[in-house]
Amino acid sequence: MRILLLGGTAEARALAAELHPRVDIVSSLAGRVPEPALPVGPVRIGGFGGIDGLRQWLRDEHIDAVVDATHPFAATMTAHAAQVCDEIRLPHVVLARPPWDPGDAIVVASDVEAAETVARQGYQRVFLTTGRSGVHAFRNSDAWFLIRAVTAPDPATLPRRHQLILSRGPYRYDGELHLLKEHRIDAVVTKNSGGDMTRAKLDAAAALGVSVIMVARPPLPPRVQTVDTVYEAVQWVAALG
Ligand code: NAP
């Protein structure tokens, strides 16, 4: 039994650590981040070349099953894996960490809608945490942005007034509280990523009465099987026999 583990998340690394070397796995990373945190065991890096490339790669590598443990917003990779596995009848599961309860957050469907909300509500000092690719939606905004991302956004996508912090989670409550206070933030923009690694900003915002604009998750492909936790993913793999 040889398993492709689509990764790029803490859960994927935890799952690799649970399975390797007992199970024959190969983890896959997109290759977006320089010096990525690597899972244990064999790793391949880079896109597959779309649906056709993925289909071919799965055949060439004699893969028997796919666990998609990509980030909940990696919708293209998730759609490709679901489609190909359905076509060639490979067992396939999505490890989908539970979303955060948005609570009082303003829930929006996209980065563009988040930028419109910032303008409409008149927020002036915004903590923008939607990642490098989410920044361009805010490039014409008049607000000031504290932008936190793992790798630097393309300068052409940056809003006029901003400060950039390059860092990688996990983040702790005290640090997030300090950041929001220090920069007099009046709104936090976040994806509904779920998980514990980056949720401290929500708790800090709640404690300070700072507004939260939360981008809702893209829907999963229809009919995919999902599990919520690394433990359940291990069980799913064990049940493959
Ligand atoms: P995406 O938009 O769903 O995927 C775009 C393309 O990148 C895919 O079509 C595929 O290229 C390639 N790709 C994505 N994930 C891959 C993987 N694990 N292994 C090999 N190729 C992959 O993905 P994304 O949102 O840019 O995310 C890229 C990676 O960063 C993922 O591994 C994800 O888990 C991680 N990540 C994403 C976010 C986020 O907010 N989106 C946050 C944290 C981590 P081909 O079509 O050429 O196969």
Side-chain angles (χ1 to χ4, degrees), residues 6-9 28-30 32 44 46-50 70-71 73-78 80 191:
L6 294 168
T9 59
S28 176
L29 303 179
R32 298 264 195 287
R44 64 163 301 284
F48 296 95
T70 56
H71 189 272
F73 281 77
T76 305
M77 188 70 253
T78 291
H80 289 181
K191 293 172 175 169

